[in-house]
Amino acid sequence: MRLVTYTLNGGDPRLGAQLGDRMVDLTALAAAAGSELPADLLALIRSGRPAVDEVRSLLGRAESARPGGAVHALSDVRLCVPFRPGKIVGVGLNYVEHVAESHRTLDTERELPDRPVLFSKPATAVTGPGQPVLHNADLTKQLDWECELAVVIGRPAYRVAEEDAWEHVFGYSIVNDISARDQRRSGQWFFSKGQDSYAPFGPVVVTADEIADPHDLDLGLKVNGETKQNSNTRHMLFKIPRLIADISSGVTLEPGDVIATGSPSGVGAGMVPPQFLQPGDLVEATIQHIGTLANPVVDAR
């Protein structure tokens, strides 16, 4: 399933599912069927398997039923951020070629890390598809991009073994790990990566059953239509089960948390000469089977 949050004609956010070129309003669909669903996507994720199974059942009947007000043309709606995660755990230096370019341009270690490099982004950094990335030239002259596969947690995970990790994955989306390279502080990344709008997220959450192999997805990024990143998730240094096991060894992952699994090479800081985002730019992060997350860059001074 391709689950979304959307608005229609400027109305309130609605829980929906994308079916091809149509948007199905899940709340309206449930009401027409005499059932009830959680009001939003985060609540749906936290409700667990019974609520998700009910969505699947409703969608299976949507083709024939199509109750009034429950189905819209995709072109008539505006996609919003799917939900605001409880926490975003970022993974640094998780693609081999990115390790090399980071050592060359960002003074990180030359050697491959022997365990995941982790940092966090606050929920206030989250923004949705089509929403602006804020460029404040008083704070940064080096605003950079990173296209990353987002893993959405569906079940609480604490001290989870790698072999059990898949049971805790609800689905997948896209995070653009926006970074102010010149705001690292004594090697700490929180302010560099945690400012408002520095976590574009979306445009959909694709449930885990729809992605046959999350470690074989093409991913890339364009700025103003020019390709900057072009890789595949097979090149992750630490795969998803290892990430879940490592994080949950000391931090509880809760339903609705997101792991941003790291960026391939091709970031602006690694270009010769370096290239960074400027007001007026359009940055587009794309992952196979998920879609494209597009955000304009605006002057926030």
Side-chain angles (χ1 to χ4, degrees), residues 85-234:
K87 55 182 170 286
I88 301 174
V89 182
V91 183
L93 307 175
N94 201 30
Y95 286 71
V96 174
E97 291 182 353
H98 183 50
V99 173
E101 74 175 356
S102 294
H103 171 71
R104 186 178 69 252
T105 59
L106 297 172
D107 301 323
T108 56
E109 297 294 331
R110 179 190 300 273
E111 295 77 17
L112 297 179
D114 58 6
R115 59 188 301 183
V117 177
L118 305 175
F119 60 93
S120 65
K121 283 178 174 275
T124 48
V126 174
T127 192
Q131 296 303 299
V133 170
L134 304 179
H135 185 292
N136 185 343
D138 294 333
L139 292 176
T140 181
K141 302 296 192 294
Q142 300 180 1
L143 194 65
D144 209 343
W145 57 80
E146 295 187 0
C147 176
E148 307 196 5
L149 177 68
V151 176
V152 178
I153 298 299
R155 292 176 53 195
Y158 183 65
R159 295 184 178 179
V160 171
E162 287 189 46
E163 58 267 26
D164 299 324
W166 293 117
E167 299 175 9
H168 298 267
V169 176
F170 178 86
Y172 305 96
S173 191
I174 303 170
V175 164
N176 189 350
D177 178 16
I178 299 294
S179 308
R181 301 297 186 190
D182 46 0
Q183 280 289 348
R184 289 182 299 153
R185 301 181 178 183
S186 299
Q188 297 300 308
W189 295 352
F190 181 80
F191 198 72
S192 168
K193 291 176 172 287
Q195 295 181 48
D196 290 4
S197 81
Y198 280 20
F201 173 49
V204 304
V205 174
V206 180
T207 52
D209 59 301
E210 296 282 332
I211 303 290
D213 184 359
H215 296 126
D216 187 20
L217 298 174
D218 293 332
L219 75 167
L221 183 140
K222 295 180 179 180
V223 177
N224 300 328
E226 181 180 351
T227 297
K228 304 296 184 181
Q229 294 185 287
N230 184 19
S231 188
N232 188 284
T233 55
R234 73 172 65 95

Side-chain angles (χ1 to χ4, degrees), residues 279-291:
D281 287 345
L282 179 68
V283 57
E284 299 172 284
T286 299
I287 299 183
Q288 185 181 10
H289 301 314
I290 298 175

Side-chain angles (χ1 to χ4, degrees), residues 14-36:
R14 306 282 296 180
L15 174 64
Q18 181 187 346
L19 292 179
D21 61 356
R22 295 180 299 140
M23 181 63 64
V24 178
D25 186 310
L26 292 176
T27 304
L29 189 66
S35 63
E36 188 174 348

